[in-house]
Amino acid sequence: TRFEAALWVICFAGLLVSAYAVCQFFGYDPFLPSVLYTSESPEGVVVRVIGTLGHADYLGNFLLYTTPLAACLAIVSSGGARILATVATALSIIAIVCSGTRGAWLGLMCGTVFFAALSLRDRKYASLRLNRRQIAIAAILGSLFILVLALAMSLSTASRSIVQRARLSIAEGFTGSGRTNLWRDSIKMVPAFALTGSGPDNFRKAFLPYKSKELGRIAAVNSENSHNSYLDAAISFGLPGFLLYVAIFLSSLRLLLRTMHRTTNCRLRIMTVGLVSSFGAVAVHNFFIFDQIPTGLYFFAFAALALAASNILGGRNGRSIEGVAIKEPTIPPASRGDALDTPERRAIKAKTAKRHQSLAKTSSWAGTAAVIAGFALTFIATWYSVALMRADAAVNRAMIAADAGDLEQVISFGDRAADSSEITGEYNFLFARALVLCGDRLEMRATVNKAEAGELIAARDRVLELAAARAQRSLVHSQTPDLNYLFLSYLALLTNDVPKLRAYADEAAAWDPNHFRTRWMLAEAYLATGDRYRAAQQAEFALDLNPSSSEAKSVLERARGEIEPPEVRIEEIIARANQKSDAGKTKQARRLLDRALRLSNGRCPECHRALALAYEADKDYQNAIAEWQTFIQEAPYRATAERTTARIQMLKQQR
């Protein structure tokens, strides 16, 4: 009963998650903006629902655990319980399809094959087999459900994403968005880390020397894992960890198959088939994904359920629902004419009592130690997690303050985040990025407000110095040294510190030689020292890795003396910003417009107009009004024609 209750809890969790994901697919999300799960691809804009898991891949993996299990619970149940499990199964399948997770699609197909192979031809299912009339009714209802579902999904604009993801698989040659290249490079790491492993969460740093140029062309962002659970286990924990991981999976599967073949309880057998199908589907998908907390937890939960199913079949305590009991030694019965309390029986009783006392004492000590250790670990984990949550909240507020140009708030919240218990220095790095963003806002304000320009530029210089100091602190235990050195070289470029620019650019390129940004920064360093030939070489290398890099194109033009007029570059940047804004990526659009303003020394009416529209899209009416007012000052005739003053009054009412 407890075993079945646990399966229903898993089924209900899958129902809630999949229902939320389906609502996201049809455009109803009360908690998150759809831009968080909308991305661009060569086939166009793609919507991949994430449910409550934070990423479409995690959603697909999670639902592979629950979907076959829910289907089996629908088979063994009746009445309202069957309807609930059927709805959970249907919604889970829809959510997996809508997630666009192609590995989960393959896992779902394999799980269905496993389910059919294990159950449909089994004689022990004779009592559950349907007659022809029931089969016909089920087929008609299933066809109607698929027809209604297809019609409903076709009405959603997100339905195009499913077709686009399928087309993308063909266009990529079934490489899984570069996963095959990533696997090829990751396999090279196995001999180097066969004994000790690279350590948990250290893949990204350890992988950099093995990254190929082909992968650098495909992936603009370095991967934090090999996108393969089995490879991850071998690299992170060495071959012993890989063997243990596979042993857990195989032993769990063996327990489930043994339970399925030996049990005479039909309900237990069908539920075990569901567990085997779920485990098999996840095993296939694990070739394309890595274990995270929300998905890896279920791996161990299903391993525990496998042991529970085996214990139900026949436990060591002699109790079994299958009638298979292990005989325990018994006290020999007394003869009919003998007294019940014989010396032999007293000796056996005393020996048994002594053994029970010893066992009870040992169990008491072991239980006490386990409870103390459990409470200690729970306290430490809770304390550390709460500290990280507070640091995350603080650094997010620092970023918001930086975007508004509020330096005091940036420093206050940034210090709070950087002083947390996190040991890798990540929050120092994020604090430094917030400071640079704040510096950009101060510089932009200085171009508009000439009266305070000197004070604002001085504040901006102090901000960059503080950002460099914080970025230096993040280097001590950083898991992303390439990004840290790249960031420091960018700061040196902003402050025109040529020696530091060259030193940090060399370090960044040494860590990650096959990334276009490190090559771009090295090209800037060579150009700053007057070495135009090497600057052009590095810029060409960067363009080989990423042909659309505007930064590398700029360095190459400057190195060759082919500098285009600033007005042309400003127009190109504004056009790119408008494209980003139309796609809902207003933050990226604002960053591009900030760059255009710097190139124009603050005199760019079209930049202020585009910024005002971007702020309006974010419902930041205060900044939108300020940009519209600047637009009126710089282009009064055009502002009159566009009735900008009336627009400002409308925004003031909305504010």
Side-chain angles (χ1 to χ4, degrees):
T1 302
R2 292 174 182 171
F3 178 78
E4 190 169 346
L7 301 189
W8 273 107
V9 169
I10 293 173
C11 174
F12 191 67
L15 172 63
L16 293 179
V17 172
S18 58
Y20 181 40
V22 171
C23 290
Q24 286 179 332
F25 181 79
F26 288 104
Y28 301 101
D29 193 334
F31 304 110
L32 298 173
S34 60
V35 69
L36 293 179
Y37 42 89
T38 303
S39 59
E40 295 181 2
S41 74
E43 295 292 326
V45 178
V46 174
V47 177
R48 298 182 61 196
V49 298
I50 59 177
T52 60
L53 277 295
H55 195 281
D57 289 347
Y58 308 160
L59 173 67
N61 193 260
F62 177 83
L63 292 179
L64 286 179
Y65 283 106
T66 65
T67 305
L69 191 58
C72 288
L73 288 175
I75 293 174
V76 301
S77 303
S78 59
R82 171 170 287 181
I83 295 174
L84 181 67
T86 303
V87 171
T89 305
L91 288 177
S92 297
I93 293 173
I94 297 170
I96 291 173
V97 174
C98 296
S99 71
T101 306
R102 294 166 292 186
W105 296 352
L106 180 61
L108 183 63
M109 289 188 287
C110 292
T112 305
V113 171
F114 297 150
F115 178 83
L118 292 171
S119 61
L120 292 183
R121 295 187 178 183
D122 199 320
R123 294 180 180 179
K124 294 186 179 181
Y125 284 97
S127 60
L128 295 175
R129 286 184 178 172
L130 305 175
N131 56 36
R132 293 182 179 179
R133 182 171 176 272
Q134 289 174 318
I135 292 174
I137 293 173
I140 293 172
L141 292 176
S143 301
L144 288 175
F145 173 77
I146 293 172
L147 182 63
V148 172
L149 176 63
L151 179 62
M153 292 179 68
S154 65
L155 297 176
S156 172
T157 55
S159 61
R160 295 191 298 270
S161 302
I162 301 172
V163 179
Q164 288 169 352
R165 290 291 289 175
R167 287 178 179 172
L168 191 60
S169 298
I170 300 173
E172 292 172 346
F174 298 98
T175 60
S177 299
R179 276 185 174 85
T180 52
N181 297 86
L182 179 60
W183 296 341
R184 182 200 61 197
D185 294 345
S186 300
I187 290 174
K188 302 173 187 175
M189 303 174 66
V190 175
F193 298 102
L195 295 180
T196 60
S198 65
D201 295 328
N202 199 39
F203 174 88
R204 188 191 181 284
K205 183 177 180 180
F207 176 67
L208 293 176
Y210 300 90
K211 177 183 171 183
S212 64
K213 186 185 294 186
E214 291 78 13
L215 184 61
R217 292 192 184 100
I218 297 171
V221 179
N222 287 325
S223 180
E224 296 182 354
N225 53 79
S226 64
H227 278 276
N228 185 304
S229 295
Y230 309 104
L231 260 178
D232 266 359
I235 294 169
S236 298
F237 308 107
L239 291 181
F242 167 75
L243 293 175
L244 179 60
Y245 183 81
V246 174
I248 292 173
F249 173 77
L250 292 179
S251 63
S252 302
L253 193 61
R254 176 176 171 274
L255 289 172
L256 289 171
L257 291 173
R258 187 181 66 177
T259 303
M260 185 186 69
H261 288 303
R262 293 185 180 182
T263 183
T264 58
N265 186 301
C266 193
R267 291 177 64 86
L268 179 61
R269 182 179 181 83
I270 297 173
M271 289 185 291
T272 307
V273 167
L275 289 172
V276 173
S277 302
S278 297
F279 229 30
V282 171
V284 172
H285 189 209
N286 277 355
F287 280 99
F288 309 95
I289 198 176
F290 56 98
D291 286 327
Q292 287 283 321
I293 289 177
T295 56
L297 177 64
Y298 260 40
F299 174 81
F300 294 103
F302 269 60
L305 287 171
L307 182 60
S310 178
N311 288 341
I312 291 173
L313 179 64
R316 278 182 273 183
N317 56 4
R319 292 174 292 180
S320 172
I321 65 170
E322 302 298 333
V324 180
I326 299 176
K327 295 183 179 180
E328 296 182 352
T330 56
I331 300 174
S335 302
R336 185 173 299 178
D338 296 336
L340 293 177
D341 193 12
T342 63
E344 182 183 3
R345 290 175 62 82
R346 284 199 301 270
I348 294 176
K349 284 183 179 181
K351 188 175 181 180
T352 304
K354 187 175 181 180
R355 185 167 62 248
H356 286 172
Q357 289 176 359
S358 176
L359 182 61
K361 187 180 293 185
T362 304
S363 300
S364 176
W365 279 106
T368 303
V371 169
I372 293 173
F375 273 112
L377 288 173
T378 302
F379 174 78
I380 294 171
T382 304
W383 167 78
Y384 188 69
S385 299
V386 170
L388 292 189
M389 288 172 62
R390 289 177 177 173
D392 279 339
V395 83
N396 286 334
R397 297 182 69 178
M399 288 291 184
I400 295 172
D403 198 30
D406 190 342
L407 179 56
E408 291 184 1
Q409 290 291 323
V410 173
I411 294 175
S412 174
F413 289 118
D415 282 333
R416 195 180 305 173
D419 293 338
S420 69
S421 305
E422 202 271 338
I423 61 174
T424 65
E426 178 68 19
Y427 289 116
N428 275 297
F429 183 58
L430 294 174
F431 182 19
R433 291 178 59 186
L435 288 167
V436 171
L437 177 60
C438 184
D440 289 342
R441 295 292 179 264
L442 293 174
E443 184 181 5
M444 184 179 66
R445 194 184 301 171
T447 59
V448 177
N449 191 350
K450 301 297 182 182
E452 300 179 1
E455 183 179 348
L456 291 171
I457 291 298
R460 179 248 189 189
D461 293 339
R462 291 196 302 272
V463 164
L464 294 181
E465 289 179 7
L466 181 58
R470 287 291 178 174
Q472 282 283 358
R473 290 190 191 182
S474 69
L475 280 172
V476 181
H477 301 291
S478 175
Q479 298 287 79
T480 57
D482 55 317
L483 288 181
N484 294 56
Y485 281 114
L486 184 63
F487 182 77
L488 283 167
S489 61
Y490 176 69
L491 286 176
L493 180 65
L494 291 178
T495 56
N496 200 26
D497 190 337
V498 177
K500 286 186 177 180
L501 171 60
R502 176 62 188 278
Y504 290 140
D506 282 336
E507 287 288 345
W511 275 102
D512 191 3
N514 291 316
H515 197 283
F516 76 95
R517 290 193 184 278
T518 60
R519 292 294 178 175
W520 156 59
M521 194 54 65
L522 196 55
E524 292 280 10
Y526 280 123
L527 189 60
T529 58
D531 193 342
R532 292 177 174 270
Y533 177 73
R534 290 189 179 180
Q537 275 188 327
Q538 295 299 325
E540 289 173 351
F541 201 149
L543 287 172
D544 180 43
L545 294 170
N546 184 4
S548 63
S549 173
S550 59
E551 298 91 347
K553 290 178 182 177
S554 173
V555 177
L556 187 60
E557 290 169 357
R558 283 178 281 146
R560 292 175 175 175
E562 302 170 355
I563 304 175
E564 62 183 3
E567 293 78 10
V568 177
R569 292 191 62 200
I570 291 170
E571 290 178 2
E572 291 177 355
I573 292 173
I574 293 174
R576 288 172 57 199
N578 289 333
Q579 291 177 356
K580 295 290 185 183
S581 186
D582 293 340
K585 300 180 179 180
T586 53
K587 286 188 177 180
Q588 295 182 20
R590 282 155 50 192
R591 292 195 190 104
L592 289 170
L593 293 170
D594 288 346
R595 188 190 307 171
L597 277 171
R598 286 196 294 270
L599 287 173
S600 64
N601 293 322
R603 295 290 300 177
C604 180
E606 190 62 33
C607 297
H608 292 292
R609 183 180 183 277
L611 269 173
L613 293 173
Y615 280 123
E616 281 187 24
D618 286 341
K619 297 183 179 180
D620 187 351
Y621 300 125
Q622 184 67 34
N623 283 321
I625 291 170
E627 294 297 335
W628 282 123
Q629 289 172 343
T630 306
F631 175 67
I632 292 174
Q633 294 174 4
E634 296 186 0
Y637 296 108
R638 185 178 174 187
T640 302
E642 295 183 5
R643 303 182 64 183
T644 305
T645 304
R647 190 184 192 105
I648 291 175
Q649 293 300 324
M650 182 186 66
L651 292 176
K652 286 181 177 179
Q653 293 176 0
Q654 293 180 357
R655 183 184 60 182

